[in-house]
Amino acid sequence: MTVLPDYSGPFDPGFRLERLSRGALAVLGREWLLHGHLQDRVGVPMVLELGGRQEAERVAIEEWAAASPIYSVRMQEALGFRGDTVSTILKNLQLDIGAPPQFMDFRLRLIDERHGEFELAHCGALLDVEPMGEDWVRGMCHTIEDPTFDATGSATNPRARFLPVHRPPRVPPGRTPHCHWRVEISDAAEPLAPHPNQASVAGSLLARLPITSGRLSAEPGGLDGYGGPFDTDFQLEDLSHAALQTALEEVAIQSHLLFRGYLLSMSDHYGEPAARSAGPRVLVGLAGLTAGRLRAAMNVPGDDAAAIGRVLQLHPTFQPGSYVGLDVEVTGPLRVRFGFTDSPIFRETDPLTWLAELGGDGDRALDAVVQAVNPRARCVPVPPREGERHAYEAVIDPGAEPAREEPEVRLARFSGGAGFAFHRLGVRTEPDRRTRRPRPVRR
């Protein structure tokens, strides 16, 4: 099978991630990690409409504490590094949407299996929140980080703790590295109990999806898992083609799980109607922003129906295929049909999913995705085929006025992540470690 260095070739209605090269999968993986990380840039303002800063902090704590222990264990099992030591915790951080590489430039060091540390040479989240003032910095770097770091570590060992050496507010201003933490496992520490919402998230069909193995290809090289020693310079490019496919499916699941945690907290505190109202708005901002980034990152050419089809196939909101079934068909240069099949996301027993509001306000998110490719495109519902729950046709009208960018997408652009430029790195072909530590830059 020929693998693709990007998605600049012809549109393929049967496209699967396995068609992409190792290098292309690593590029896509970083985009998906950033996608999940940026959820709160739109989600937090939705909370602020209902409450104050403290309420927003509470929701952020609950969403991450409910989701991160679940997806941490899934990633450990997917890549073969399940354990109860500090090296396991550090490996998890390298594959977590809370720490997208380069944008959140973690410098990790393993001291021994009960002690480690890390510095953030560049914290994109801090740079987003510093202009909002010291109260917001303390809220993120103290109030939120303390319980959520520990919740993530507890997935590996309930006696693991994250201890700050220094952290913002930065004194003096502009101090680097932005923060410094220790990671310790102590027999004297009380085992940390899971957040009550974790059980609710764990009971979803999403959390119980089987972990899938990537499909093999002719492209050689890379690690088939991460069961070996902790590597401080680990990058996605170090994984084999099959392992990358597995890792990306888990990254997509991470963002779905985090969104469940967010909507669960919103529903608990403000009621289900408020959560159902906020969900589509968060998706509009995040999905629209990510669609534009994917188009650039994967070299999707043009702005026709085929370009829209490619972006739909690459978008993490519509992945993994084991959870979200999406069929995409280009029916002409200005038309693309896409149908959502009767897949597990539509069989959850609650409305705590990205696509729960399709057929209603959630359809605005589909417009935001296609308009990131062509602002003259609009999505219209069409009759579903057998086995489909929802179906749409994205139609480009060359004579129409370009759509204005949705306010939620503009809100997402507040983050420096909107224009952050990742560095492409070479794939590993030999077992020797090469230090490849890029400097984060903005577009």
Side-chain angles (χ1 to χ4, degrees):
M1 180 183 68
T2 301
V3 292
L4 307 174
D6 51 35
Y7 203 177
S8 59
F11 171 78
D12 177 4
F15 174 85
R16 301 175 70 101
L17 291 182
E18 65 192 87
R19 292 295 313 282
L20 294 173
S21 69
R22 288 172 60 203
L25 285 172
V27 170
L28 189 62
R30 280 189 285 275
E31 292 294 335
W32 286 12
L33 286 163
L34 183 63
H35 167 86
H37 180 81
L38 294 181
Q39 174 185 294
D40 282 349
R41 305 307 195 276
V42 190
V44 165
M46 302 299 109
V47 184
L48 293 175
E49 293 180 357
L50 303 171
R53 177 174 54 80
Q54 288 82 6
E55 287 79 5
E57 292 168 358
R58 178 181 61 192
V59 169
I61 291 168
E62 291 181 354
E63 65 173 299
W64 288 93
S68 67
I70 298 169
Y71 68 62
S72 293
V73 170
R74 286 187 60 96
M75 188 65 83
Q76 291 174 22
E77 293 177 346
L79 294 184
F81 63 96
R82 189 83 174 97
D84 62 358
T85 62
V86 167
S87 64
T88 303
I89 294 172
L90 299 185
K91 288 178 180 181
N92 264 141
L93 289 175
Q94 294 172 318
L95 293 155
D96 193 310
I97 59 174
Q102 300 180 32
F103 184 68
M104 302 289 289
D105 191 7
F106 277 69
R107 306 296 176 93
L108 302 153
R109 187 168 76 93
L110 179 66
I111 298 171
D112 57 48
E113 288 296 2
R114 298 178 71 84
H115 301 87
E117 63 180 6
F118 62 85
E119 297 177 336
L120 263 75
H122 175 274
C123 179
L126 173 64
L127 298 182
D128 283 351
V129 80
E130 274 187 328
M132 300 168 66
E134 185 171 313
D135 285 346
W136 283 93
V137 171
R138 288 190 178 277
M140 183 181 75
C141 300
H142 296 243
T143 306
I144 296 173
E145 292 290 24
D146 284 349
T148 55
F149 267 153
D150 284 347
T152 300
S154 73
T156 295
N157 192 314
R159 287 186 164 86
R161 295 294 185 271
F162 287 67
L163 307 171
V165 178
H166 76 78
R167 54 179 164 175
R170 291 194 280 172
V171 179
R175 177 178 181 172
T176 57
H178 292 170
C179 64
H180 183 187
W181 294 73
R182 298 197 312 271
V183 184
E184 296 182 0
I185 295 172
S186 172
D187 292 336
E190 286 294 321
L192 187 68
H195 191 280
N197 284 7
Q198 182 179 327
S200 296
V201 175
S204 65
L205 295 177
L206 170 65
R208 292 183 280 124
L209 283 176
I211 294 171
T212 61
S213 298
R215 299 165 186 84
L216 299 179
S217 80
E219 185 175 7
L223 305 171
D224 289 329
Y226 200 1
F230 166 73
D231 184 349
T232 188
D233 289 315
F234 171 85
Q235 305 286 352
L236 289 175
E237 282 84 351
D238 296 335
L239 295 174
S240 70
H241 195 250
L244 273 166
Q245 295 169 51
T246 299
L248 261 68
E249 289 203 1
E250 290 302 315
V251 169
I253 288 171
Q254 286 184 24
S255 66
H256 285 282
L257 285 169
L258 186 66
F259 193 60
R260 288 191 69 83
Y262 169 79
L263 290 181
L264 178 60
S265 180
M266 287 284 285
S267 184
D268 285 347
H269 296 296
Y270 302 107
E272 184 177 303
R276 298 188 72 152
S277 174
R281 298 174 64 193
V282 178
L283 182 58
V284 168
L286 186 58
L289 176 68
T290 295
R293 287 190 57 90
L294 290 173
R295 183 189 180 199
M298 302 305 292
N299 295 322
V300 173
D303 61 358
D304 59 1
I308 291 173
R310 292 185 188 91
V311 170
L312 288 168
Q313 291 173 326
L314 293 169
H315 206 290
T317 300
F318 312 132
Q319 295 281 346
S322 58
Y323 189 59
V324 184
L326 179 67
D327 293 329
V328 184
E329 176 186 1
V330 173
T331 56
L334 302 178
R335 293 177 178 271
V336 57
R337 186 192 186 281
F338 55 102
F340 293 93
T341 61
D342 184 19
S343 43
I345 193 170
F346 298 111
R347 297 197 294 271
E348 297 283 9
T349 59
D350 53 49
L352 309 180
T353 74
W354 280 121
L355 303 183
E357 303 305 317
L358 284 186
D361 197 37
D363 291 359
R364 284 201 308 124
L366 305 179
D367 277 336
V369 169
V370 304
Q371 287 165 4
V373 180
N374 190 316
R376 290 182 169 84
R378 302 289 189 280
C379 290
V380 295
V382 297
R385 295 171 180 165
E386 185 177 357
E388 291 180 341
R389 286 290 190 97
H390 302 274
Y392 300 86
E393 190 172 50
V395 181
I396 301 170
D397 181 355
E401 287 293 320
R404 292 184 178 180
E405 191 170 68
E406 293 282 2
E408 293 91 346
V409 179
R410 294 197 298 271
L411 185 62
R413 292 196 188 284
F414 167 80
S415 172
F420 189 82
F422 288 113
H423 290 261
R424 287 177 177 250
L425 305 171
V427 297
R428 173 186 282 188
T429 55
E430 301 293 336
D432 297 335
R433 177 71 252 151
R434 306 183 306 277
T435 299
R436 297 165 297 168
R437 184 68 71 177
R439 173 181 291 182
V441 296
R442 298 174 186 266
R443 287 185 179 132

